[in-house]
Amino acid sequence: MTKITIKETQNPTILKFEFEDFITKNQNFEFKNIDEAQASPLAQQLFYLPFVKTVYISGNFIAIERYSIVEWDDVKDAVAEQIQAFVDKGGVIIKVDENQPKKQPVTVYGETTPNPSALKFVVSRMLTKNAVEYKNIDQTASSPLAKELFKFPYVKEVFIDENYISVTKYDINDWDEITLEVRTFIKQYIENGGTVLDENLIEVATKNDITKDEAFDKLDVTSQQIINILEEYVKPAVAADGGNIAFDSYNEEDKTVKVILQGACSGCPSSTFTLKSGIENMLKSMLNDEAIKVEAINA
């Protein structure tokens, strides 16, 4: 039996009725009246309630916007019971499109990272060969998955690389409150054929690789050595923690190496310690130069 949970929203006229599992296949529905709700027998039934103005169905919830003729405190329990009874009797929430592609089962699990604000969601298949970072929803044209993740109010940043998605959250929620929701969303999104990254991004990244090779050849020897050390020894370690490190520049005069931190590494409280006692010491030792300093330009 599916249990319905009532959740308030920032809009006092809208209330969410959450399910334990997802009820749509990466689709969002908005119905303004009973005629628009042909795809949802449940929404049609809800419109018989005189105070129902709009019905939204998305992810694992049904949200209802009410007219001001009632207060939610007076009717929310009755509405939850009606939804519960409808589902328990085998009622259809959303009519399934037979042309929808079949599910492709995947496993998704969460891993902690050194950054308490970031969690790494590991997927049982490769997602991309190119690390991609999104700081906000406006940057997500190349990743429909990242765009959907930013619709969760607590998602601050998204980083995708190889077979994992690193999600950085705002402090408004603890991970124990939201991990299951994010993990389930990612799992069902991928299983239902949702696009993680647009193929055009892969093409751009391939062209960028050629450009990077040309740029690498033009660098001084020390910069080339630093890049090789980062690629071989540092990147695999930070990737295991849900992050990435990229070489930015090397100043021969003051011996300063500047790097860019991405994913779980960006904003991590321990990143400064890692840079100084880990990466900086490694470069000093492997390049035999005690004057080398490492700085993150986005720390």
Side-chain angles (χ1 to χ4, degrees), residues 28-29 35 71:
N28 303 309
F29 299 89
D35 293 327
E71 295 295 330

Side-chain angles (χ1 to χ4, degrees), residues 110-113 115-121 164-169 175 178-180 182 241-242 264:
E111 280 187 1
T112 57
T113 75
N115 185 349
S117 295
L119 203 64
K120 178 181 175 183
F121 294 90
Y164 68 87
I165 298 132
S166 180
V167 177
T168 303
K169 69 174 181 64
W175 277 119
I178 60 177
T179 298
L180 179 61
V182 178
D241 288 332

Side-chain angles (χ1 to χ4, degrees), residues 54-267:
T54 310
V55 176
Y56 307 90
I57 301 178
S58 178
N60 69 328
F61 67 86
I62 293 171
I64 300 175
E65 182 180 9
R66 63 170 173 79
Y67 287 107
S68 56
I69 57 174
V70 297
E71 295 295 330
W72 273 122
D73 285 342
D74 298 328
V75 297
K76 63 182 181 182
D77 291 331
V79 173
E81 289 173 7
Q82 181 170 328
I83 295 173
Q84 185 80 63
F86 180 91
V87 174
D88 290 345
K89 291 178 182 177
V92 175
I93 299 173
I94 289 289
K95 292 178 181 177
V96 178
D97 183 356
E98 295 300 329
N99 294 321
Q100 284 275 0
K102 292 183 179 180
K103 281 191 174 184
Q104 306 166 15
V106 296
T107 301
V108 179
Y109 64 90
E111 280 187 1
T112 57
T113 75
N115 185 349
S117 295
L119 203 64
K120 178 181 175 183
F121 294 90
V122 183
V123 184
S124 59
R125 70 170 61 160
M126 282 294 293
L127 302 174
T128 178
K129 294 181 180 178
N130 306 279
V132 192
E133 185 174 42
Y134 303 98
K135 295 287 189 180
N136 56 63
I137 196 169
D138 294 330
Q139 299 177 347
T140 59
S142 59
S143 176
L145 172 58
K147 184 175 183 179
E148 291 301 315
L149 286 171
F150 274 111
K151 292 179 181 178
F152 291 102
Y154 45 75
V155 172
K156 182 180 180 182
E157 297 175 13
V158 177
F159 176 75
I160 304 173
D161 191 16
E162 297 184 341
N163 68 324
Y164 68 87
I165 298 132
S166 180
V167 177
T168 303
K169 69 174 181 64
Y170 289 104
D171 293 335
I172 56 174
N173 291 91
D174 293 326
W175 277 119
D176 57 2
E177 299 172 331
I178 60 177
T179 298
L180 179 61
E181 182 176 36
V182 178
R183 186 189 68 79
T184 304
F185 176 80
I186 292 173
K187 173 179 168 62
Q188 297 207 349
Y189 181 94
I190 296 173
E191 283 185 337
N192 291 319
T195 301
V196 176
L197 285 172
D198 192 295
E199 288 300 319
N200 291 329
L201 176 66
I202 307 301
E203 293 175 13
V204 170
T206 302
K207 292 176 183 176
N208 286 344
D209 285 342
I210 297 172
T211 304
K212 285 179 183 176
D213 290 339
E214 294 173 349
F216 179 86
D217 292 337
K218 295 177 182 177
L219 291 172
D220 60 273
V221 175
T222 304
S223 292
Q224 292 179 343
Q225 290 175 322
I226 292 169
I227 291 173
N228 288 333
I229 292 170
L230 293 177
E231 290 286 338
E232 185 172 354
Y233 297 100
V234 181
K235 279 196 174 186
V238 297
D241 288 332
N244 187 44
I245 185 169
F247 174 81
D248 178 74
S249 62
Y250 170 65
N251 188 315
E252 292 187 52
E253 293 182 5
D254 62 10
K255 302 293 183 72
T256 299
V257 179
K258 292 188 177 181
V259 297
I260 302 169
L261 300 178
Q262 296 176 311
C265 295
S266 179

